[in-house]
Amino acid sequence: MSAPNSLMKKTNDDLREAVERLITERDNLREEAKYAQSTILQLDSQNMRLDRLLTQAYASLQNPIEVVPATTSSQKSSWVRSVWLSSTANQALLKPVETAWQKGETQQALINLNMILNLENLTYSKRVEATLLQAAIVSYSGHSDQALPQIEEALKMAEEKQLDDLVGKAQFIRGRCCLDMRRYADAKWCFTLASHTKGYEDLIETNMQYAEQQISKLPAGHTDRLLNLFGF
């Protein structure tokens, strides 16, 4: 190969390497920008929720203190399949579904849920909780990718109606879906957003630690080390 041709080949190779480096840097910057944007949006949502809670707390201080009856054993919540926290608030509506699920009658549980969700007189909170239970069952059955759209629908309704406990419940189930899909950074972030939810403290901590352990095993720059919340 003549000297000019050799020099031209070297120049082309150098240019190709430079372009590939620029493409890699561009992709990394896009991921960082996506992470920053998603973080800002989620923090804005959390700040709005905190403002509401502070406003409610301040208003309660201006009113006479009411004596709240002690919680009885019949009012306690219980976990189903380590992914769904059953409560007495909607027990009459959802208990048959939870029982069928616990017995392994998944198809019957989903049929019952579809009947409930087709009711026209459901309140927002009941519709949100029924949708989340449906998502939990679908996810537990090994179809977390199908459960995520249901969670997003419920989460949107809960945020619009300021149903803070259900927002936290949705974030927890979404985090479990992300764990199943090995989206560990997303899972960790969802558990962080659910951390204010009563009754979930221990399981959130356990799942958060697992997500962090899995993230630590991934090589630097791995996609599952980065948030991908817009991918839901």
Side-chain angles (χ1 to χ4, degrees):
M1 184 181 293
S2 63
N5 289 338
S6 178
L7 179 60
M8 182 177 295
K9 182 179 184 304
K10 184 178 186 306
T11 301
N12 288 339
D13 290 343
D14 290 343
L15 285 173
R16 187 180 299 106
E17 290 179 5
V19 170
E20 289 175 352
R21 285 197 300 270
L22 287 173
I23 291 174
T24 300
E25 291 176 8
R26 180 204 64 186
D27 292 342
N28 289 338
L29 287 172
R30 282 179 175 174
E31 289 296 334
E32 291 176 5
K34 184 163 61 175
Y35 175 92
Q37 188 177 6
S38 64
T39 301
I40 290 170
L41 289 174
Q42 294 289 352
L43 286 175
D44 282 344
S45 176
Q46 285 291 85
N47 284 336
M48 291 174 62
R49 192 172 299 121
L50 180 60
D51 285 342
R52 292 198 300 269
L53 292 174
L54 289 173
T55 301
Q56 292 170 6
Y58 180 79
S60 67
L61 291 174
Q62 310 306 310
N63 299 322
I65 298 176
E66 297 181 5
V67 177
V68 180
T71 301
T72 63
S73 57
S74 62
Q75 294 174 314
K76 292 181 179 179
S77 301
S78 59
W79 282 96
V80 181
R81 305 285 191 181
S82 297
V83 67
W84 175 258
L85 185 59
S86 173
S87 65
T88 56
N90 290 322
Q91 192 170 57
L93 184 69
L94 299 180
K95 189 63 177 177
V97 178
E98 295 169 350
T99 301
W101 185 24
Q102 282 182 313
K103 291 180 177 179
E105 300 170 359
T106 303
Q107 196 61 37
Q108 186 60 51
L110 291 174
I111 290 172
N112 292 344
L113 268 175
N114 283 329
M115 293 174 61
I116 292 171
L117 288 169
N118 285 329
L119 295 175
E120 295 183 358
N121 61 342
L122 274 186
T123 64
Y124 270 98
S125 62
K126 289 180 179 179
R127 185 168 298 280
V128 169
E129 191 147 23
T131 302
L132 289 176
L133 178 53
Q134 185 180 52
I137 295 173
V138 170
S139 173
Y140 191 84
S141 300
H143 303 286
S144 290
D145 57 329
Q146 297 176 24
L148 282 175
Q150 297 171 326
I151 298 170
E152 292 303 305
E153 176 189 350
L155 184 58
K156 182 179 180 181
M157 285 192 291
E159 288 178 336
E160 287 177 351
K161 297 300 178 180
Q162 301 180 8
L163 304 172
D164 296 314
D165 285 343
L166 292 179
V167 168
K169 198 166 192 173
Q171 292 289 6
F172 174 78
I173 299 172
R174 187 164 76 160
R176 287 296 300 262
C177 287
C178 290
L179 278 187
D180 292 340
M181 299 170 69
R182 300 183 180 180
R183 293 165 56 170
Y184 300 118
D186 288 335
K188 179 182 176 182
W189 186 242
C190 291
F191 294 137
T192 299
L193 296 176
S195 59
H196 70 283
T197 312
K198 294 179 181 179
Y200 286 74
E201 297 86 353
D202 292 340
L203 265 184
I204 284 176
E205 183 177 355
T206 300
N207 284 278
M208 180 91 76
Q209 289 176 355
Y210 177 78
E212 290 173 343
Q213 290 170 0
Q214 298 306 309
I215 291 172
S216 68
K217 297 177 183 177
L218 297 174
H222 194 284
T223 54
D224 290 331
R225 275 182 169 269
L226 301 172
L227 284 178
N228 189 34
L229 294 177
F230 295 110
F232 287 122

